[in-house]
Amino acid sequence: MSEVMTQVPDVARLFAERALDACASYWERGATEMWLGQPLFRIAGTTHDQLVPDGVSNPYWEVIRQMPSTDERRWQGVTPYGYEPNLGIGRNGVVSTYSWSIPSPGDIAWITDVLAGRGVVEVGAGSGYWAWQLAQAGTDVVAYEPNEVADNKFVDVIEPYHPLLRGDASAAGKHPDRALFMSWPNYAEPWATHALTAYQGDLLIYVGETHGGCCGDDDFFDLLDAEWDEIGDSPHHRTWWGINCRLIAYRRKQSAAVQGGEGA
Ligand SMILES: C[S@@+](CC[C@H](N)C(=O)[O-])C[C@H]1O[C@@H](n2cnc3c(N)ncnc32)[C@H](O)[C@@H]1O
């Protein structure tokens, strides 16, 4: 099992401090902003809150729970609003510092349950933030990313949060015994399809927008429909306002079993 970072890297820590200061000032000003007729509120301290377990670092979630949020059914309930002009931080800065989807503490616990002890292979890992969160929960994660973090236009950190192996989507084919994890494959690009085609195992955990959204390509979702069954989605997942992100587990259909594959 690879080494798990226990300290928050400097960039993430400094960003979180700045973001938390911005949120504190926002609430101190007695913010009364509404969005589409709904008052903005912070998740922290409400019934929607999720607490980071003792001994775990999840600066992304610590920022999210302090941000102005709305409660809208179309985004699966409470959702941080990433475009508040009076806040001073927004979705773009947050996602490039951490991850394109939000790993809440409940999400990580939900994934751990689905895995039932199995390891994970992640492809397109970006900054390695999800891999870091899973590793802190005790999951053995092998994470691949074709670009160095410093050269990755989707990422704004200088060091990854978790060790990243250099490799593209085809690396999924090397680990049939692990569950495949993917977060936010690039819109209209084929690499999620390539990963799923290369992968010989039977468990996929996917987080991102679904068919018709801004992740992956149509072939990916067609392949999922044809060869995979959705076995559940995380009820704890929080998505940015306006972003239809879901965290979903899929099992390969028996009829689509890989000939000669090890499975798990
Ligand atoms: C939108 S970012 C998402 C990053 C990360 N998974 C997250 O959720 O924050 C897409 C990532 O896919 C990576 N990528 C691009 N082409 C790829 C390929 N052929 N195989 C695997 N990953 C690829 C990019 O370098 C980038 O890190």
Side-chain angles (χ1 to χ4, degrees):
M1 184 159 168
S2 52
E3 196 183 323
V4 182
M5 189 168 16
T6 50
Q7 297 263 314
V8 178
D10 281 351
V11 172
R13 184 176 50 74
L14 293 172
F15 183 90
E17 283 172 12
R18 193 162 61 80
L20 292 173
D21 282 351
C23 291
S25 311
Y26 178 82
W27 298 117
E28 273 164 24
R29 287 198 301 273
T32 54
E33 282 88 352
M34 308 277 283
W35 178 248
L36 298 179
Q38 296 249 17
L40 294 170
F41 65 96
R42 56 181 144 184
I43 295 172
T46 70
T47 53
H48 307 289
D49 205 0
Q50 301 177 36
L51 297 181
V52 176
D54 286 346
V56 168
S57 294
N58 187 346
Y60 193 175
W61 180 252
E62 297 295 5
V63 170
I64 290 295
R65 61 193 283 275
Q66 298 295 340
M67 285 185 74
S69 294
T70 67
D71 190 351
E72 288 187 52
R73 195 164 294 170
R74 68 186 157 145
W75 310 121
Q76 304 142 47
V78 172
T79 175
Y81 180 64
Y83 309 99
E84 172 48 60
N86 298 320
L87 185 62
I89 59 159
R91 174 176 174 259
N92 289 350
V94 180
V95 301
S96 57
T97 302
Y98 302 120
S99 160
W100 283 66
S101 51
I102 304 169
S104 73
D107 287 339
I108 300 303
W110 182 85
I111 293 176
T112 307
D113 276 356
V114 171
L115 291 171
R118 200 190 297 199
V120 160
V121 53
E122 179 178 9
V123 292
S127 71
Y129 196 89
W130 275 92
W132 181 41
Q133 294 305 308
L134 291 170
Q136 287 185 83
T139 298
D140 186 1
V141 186
V142 178
Y144 291 88
E145 166 58 52
N147 295 304
E148 292 286 348
V149 283
D151 301 328
N152 192 336
K153 64 181 178 180
F154 298 96
V155 170
D156 195 15
V157 292
I158 45 177
E159 291 288 332
Y161 293 96
H162 185 84
L164 299 179
L165 299 174
R166 186 69 83 88
D168 65 12
S170 63
K174 298 181 190 168
H175 301 280
D177 50 332
R178 294 171 180 265
L180 174 61
F181 179 85
M182 289 189 275
S183 166
W184 274 75
N186 307 71
Y187 175 57
E189 288 191 19
W191 71 254
T193 308
H194 293 161
L196 200 55
T197 306
Y199 178 59
Q200 308 274 301
D202 70 348
L203 182 60
L204 167 69
I205 297 173
Y206 170 77
V207 56
E209 292 205 315
T210 53
H211 225 307
C214 52
C215 293
D217 62 0
D218 287 347
D219 288 348
F220 173 65
F221 296 103
D222 290 346
L223 189 57
L224 277 178
D225 285 346
E227 299 191 0
W228 295 76
D229 286 324
E230 182 174 324
I231 56 172
D233 68 329
S234 169
H236 315 286
H237 192 56
R238 291 287 162 251
T239 176
W240 291 95
W241 187 91
I243 303 289
N244 202 6
C245 185
R246 292 177 65 207
L247 170 57
I248 310 173
Y250 296 88
R251 181 94 52 197
R252 193 188 292 278
K253 288 179 180 167
Q254 287 291 319
S255 55
V258 179
Q259 295 300 314
E262 276 179 45

mmCIF file of all heavy atoms in Angstrom, residues 11 93 95-97 127 149 152-158:
data_model
loop_
_atom_site.group_PDB
_atom_site.id
_atom_site.type_symbol
_atom_site.label_atom_id
_atom_site.label_comp_id
_atom_site.label_asym_id
_atom_site.label_seq_id
_atom_site.Cartn_x
_atom_site.Cartn_y
_atom_site.Cartn_z
ATOM 1 N N VAL A 11 0.000 24.298 -0.441
ATOM 2 C CA VAL A 11 -0.900 25.017 -1.360
ATOM 3 C C VAL A 11 -2.352 24.840 -0.920
ATOM 4 O O VAL A 11 -3.137 25.790 -0.871
ATOM 5 C CB VAL A 11 -0.722 24.514 -2.806
ATOM 6 C CG1 VAL A 11 -1.780 25.104 -3.715
ATOM 7 C CG2 VAL A 11 0.663 24.856 -3.318
ATOM 8 N N GLY A 93 -11.588 28.252 -8.818
ATOM 9 C CA GLY A 93 -10.396 28.162 -7.973
ATOM 10 C C GLY A 93 -10.431 26.945 -7.078
ATOM 11 O O GLY A 93 -9.406 26.287 -6.846
ATOM 12 N N VAL A 95 -12.119 23.982 -7.533
ATOM 13 C CA VAL A 95 -11.972 22.676 -8.200
ATOM 14 C C VAL A 95 -10.547 22.451 -8.691
ATOM 15 O O VAL A 95 -10.046 21.333 -8.663
ATOM 16 C CB VAL A 95 -12.988 22.443 -9.349
ATOM 17 C CG1 VAL A 95 -14.415 22.525 -8.835
ATOM 18 C CG2 VAL A 95 -12.774 23.361 -10.524
ATOM 19 N N SER A 96 -9.875 23.528 -9.138
ATOM 20 C CA SER A 96 -8.518 23.305 -9.636
ATOM 21 C C SER A 96 -7.525 23.090 -8.487
ATOM 22 O O SER A 96 -6.478 22.476 -8.687
ATOM 23 C CB SER A 96 -8.077 24.440 -10.568
ATOM 24 O OG SER A 96 -8.162 25.666 -9.900
ATOM 25 N N THR A 97 -7.863 23.552 -7.307
ATOM 26 C CA THR A 97 -6.981 23.308 -6.158
ATOM 27 C C THR A 97 -7.195 21.901 -5.606
ATOM 28 O O THR A 97 -6.244 21.273 -5.111
ATOM 29 C CB THR A 97 -7.254 24.330 -5.033
ATOM 30 O OG1 THR A 97 -7.063 25.643 -5.565
ATOM 31 C CG2 THR A 97 -6.329 24.125 -3.843
ATOM 32 N N SER A 127 -5.211 15.965 -9.523
ATOM 33 C CA SER A 127 -4.333 16.322 -8.398
ATOM 34 C C SER A 127 -4.127 15.151 -7.436
ATOM 35 O O SER A 127 -3.327 15.256 -6.515
ATOM 36 C CB SER A 127 -4.945 17.485 -7.614
ATOM 37 O OG SER A 127 -6.094 17.020 -6.907
ATOM 38 N N VAL A 149 1.373 17.178 -12.461
ATOM 39 C CA VAL A 149 0.434 18.166 -11.919
ATOM 40 C C VAL A 149 0.812 19.589 -12.347
ATOM 41 O O VAL A 149 -0.058 20.403 -12.659
ATOM 42 C CB VAL A 149 0.286 18.113 -10.374
ATOM 43 C CG1 VAL A 149 -0.572 16.973 -9.919
ATOM 44 C CG2 VAL A 149 1.615 18.137 -9.685
ATOM 45 N N ASN A 152 -0.586 20.277 -15.728
ATOM 46 C CA ASN A 152 -1.976 19.869 -15.954
ATOM 47 C C ASN A 152 -2.876 21.100 -15.902
ATOM 48 O O ASN A 152 -3.013 21.732 -14.844
ATOM 49 C CB ASN A 152 -2.382 18.844 -14.882
ATOM 50 C CG ASN A 152 -3.683 18.160 -15.206
ATOM 51 O OD1 ASN A 152 -4.507 18.702 -15.952
ATOM 52 N ND2 ASN A 152 -3.886 16.983 -14.652
ATOM 53 N N LYS A 153 -3.503 21.428 -17.018
ATOM 54 C CA LYS A 153 -4.314 22.658 -17.059
ATOM 55 C C LYS A 153 -5.584 22.550 -16.218
ATOM 56 O O LYS A 153 -6.266 23.549 -15.994
ATOM 57 C CB LYS A 153 -4.656 23.025 -18.502
ATOM 58 C CG LYS A 153 -5.529 22.017 -19.201
ATOM 59 C CD LYS A 153 -5.815 22.420 -20.638
ATOM 60 C CE LYS A 153 -6.656 21.354 -21.307
ATOM 61 N NZ LYS A 153 -6.982 21.630 -22.687
ATOM 62 N N PHE A 154 -5.905 21.333 -15.757
ATOM 63 C CA PHE A 154 -7.103 21.149 -14.932
ATOM 64 C C PHE A 154 -6.811 21.251 -13.436
ATOM 65 O O PHE A 154 -7.703 21.115 -12.612
ATOM 66 C CB PHE A 154 -7.741 19.783 -15.211
ATOM 67 C CG PHE A 154 -8.198 19.652 -16.637
ATOM 68 C CD1 PHE A 154 -7.389 19.036 -17.578
ATOM 69 C CD2 PHE A 154 -9.410 20.178 -17.040
ATOM 70 C CE1 PHE A 154 -7.793 18.936 -18.895
ATOM 71 C CE2 PHE A 154 -9.825 20.082 -18.354
ATOM 72 C CZ PHE A 154 -9.012 19.459 -19.291
ATOM 73 N N VAL A 155 -5.544 21.440 -13.124
ATOM 74 C CA VAL A 155 -5.095 21.349 -11.733
ATOM 75 C C VAL A 155 -4.247 22.570 -11.408
ATOM 76 O O VAL A 155 -3.445 22.998 -12.238
ATOM 77 C CB VAL A 155 -4.251 20.055 -11.572
ATOM 78 C CG1 VAL A 155 -3.549 20.013 -10.246
ATOM 79 C CG2 VAL A 155 -5.128 18.820 -11.752
ATOM 80 N N ASP A 156 -4.400 23.110 -10.205
ATOM 81 C CA ASP A 156 -3.607 24.280 -9.834
ATOM 82 C C ASP A 156 -2.853 24.029 -8.521
ATOM 83 O O ASP A 156 -2.978 24.791 -7.569
ATOM 84 C CB ASP A 156 -4.532 25.496 -9.705
ATOM 85 C CG ASP A 156 -3.751 26.789 -9.675
ATOM 86 O OD1 ASP A 156 -2.563 26.767 -10.023
ATOM 87 O OD2 ASP A 156 -4.331 27.815 -9.274
ATOM 88 N N VAL A 157 -2.142 22.903 -8.475
ATOM 89 C CA VAL A 157 -1.265 22.625 -7.332
ATOM 90 C C VAL A 157 0.107 22.247 -7.890
ATOM 91 O O VAL A 157 0.243 21.911 -9.074
ATOM 92 C CB VAL A 157 -1.801 21.494 -6.418
ATOM 93 C CG1 VAL A 157 -3.068 21.936 -5.700
ATOM 94 C CG2 VAL A 157 -2.055 20.217 -7.190
ATOM 95 N N ILE A 158 1.111 22.280 -7.026
ATOM 96 C CA ILE A 158 2.455 21.956 -7.535
ATOM 97 C C ILE A 158 2.890 20.549 -7.160
ATOM 98 O O ILE A 158 3.791 19.995 -7.768
ATOM 99 C CB ILE A 158 3.503 23.002 -7.083
ATOM 100 C CG1 ILE A 158 3.315 23.318 -5.597
ATOM 101 C CG2 ILE A 158 3.430 24.253 -7.915
ATOM 102 C CD1 ILE A 158 4.357 24.273 -5.056
#
